[in-house]
Amino acid sequence: MPDISLTVVVLLCLAAFAAGWIDAVVGGGGLLLLPALLLGLPGSTPAAVALGTNKAVAITGTAGAAVTYVRRAPVDVRTAVRIGLAALAGSSAGAFFAAGMKTDVLKPVIMVVLLGVGAFVILRPSFGTAPAPGPATRRRILAAIGLAGLGIGFYDGLIGPGTGTFLVLALTAVLHLDLVTASATAKIVNCCTNAGALATFAWQGAILWQLAAVLAVFNLAGGALGAHTALKKGSGFVRIVLLTVVFALVANMAYQQWVA
């Protein structure tokens, strides 16, 4: 455990709470917590330790939000678990590739995709406002397993930030869910992606367990509050938060790519 001042710990706890709230509503909590860890931990701390500690914290808040959603939202748990198992495999593979991959090459592509997604959501106000009638077809479920499971799961293990947001968008588009149900389903899938990457980081010894335990309490509280907020406010509110997170994610990636 590195030497961290009480002030830094308090600030990290606040970041963990806010990240839990954002992650529960629409995903993207890592956009806040991971940079906070990178800034708050001593400069000699390897980046992998910040990534691993972030995963240990995030899985707690995500699990808490998932439980809240399942109790109150119409979530198809069976489909979510099937996508989640594929995501677990994808994130484990991504975490193994992360050490040797130059992610700077991928970031511009991801930024273009996010900007396209943001424009689509703005131009299509009805996107995610109402679910499609009837259950999802087998073809759509298989497409969700491939895209949201294996594809986004791999991205989560490889890079990470924005995974929850990508999951919400993919599940809304492929399974024709409303944004609240998509966010609820994404939480279950995200638990699996976090578990896969977390297992890899734990095996590598890249987690500060004591710090993660403290931050997890605040992340859990933020996640529970975020889930309650999304359920109460509905898809319109989630849409606003979604757009905010998408453009914040683009700005963050652009800063890391060309300024930092």
Side-chain angles (χ1 to χ4, degrees), residues 36-236:
L37 284 168
L38 290 171
L39 289 172
L41 293 175
S44 59
T45 305
V49 172
L51 288 166
T53 304
N54 176 61
K55 287 298 178 189
V57 175
I59 194 171
T60 307
T62 302
V67 171
T68 301
Y69 274 122
V70 168
R71 288 176 175 173
R72 298 180 56 187
V75 183
D76 185 344
V77 177
R78 181 182 177 188
T79 298
V81 170
R82 289 164 70 183
I83 298 171
L85 291 175
L88 190 153
S91 66
S92 298
F96 273 111
F97 277 96
M101 178 68 71
K102 292 184 177 179
T103 57
D104 287 345
V105 178
L106 298 177
K107 286 180 181 178
V109 177
I110 296 168
M111 282 186 275
V112 171
V113 172
L114 281 170
L115 287 172
V117 165
F120 176 81
V121 174
I122 291 172
L123 296 172
R124 291 284 300 273
S126 62
F127 179 74
T129 57
T137 63
R138 185 171 181 271
R139 180 177 295 179
R140 288 188 178 279
I141 292 175
L142 289 175
I145 290 173
L147 176 61
L150 292 173
I152 297 177
F154 184 85
Y155 167 82
D156 189 34
L158 186 66
I159 303 176
T163 295
T165 306
F166 279 125
L167 284 172
V168 172
L169 292 166
L171 293 170
T172 302
V174 176
L175 297 181
H176 290 177
L177 303 175
D178 65 84
L179 285 171
V180 173
T181 305
S183 188
T185 305
K187 294 291 106 28
I188 298 175
V189 177
N190 213 178
C191 281
C192 296
T193 65
N194 284 337
L198 179 62
T200 302
F201 284 121
W203 177 69
Q204 295 172 342
I207 299 173
L208 299 174
W209 290 108
Q210 290 176 309
L211 178 62
V214 174
L215 299 184
V217 174
F218 289 85
N219 193 252
L220 181 63
L225 179 62
H228 282 294
T229 304
L231 288 165
K232 182 179 180 180
K233 299 289 187 179
S235 293

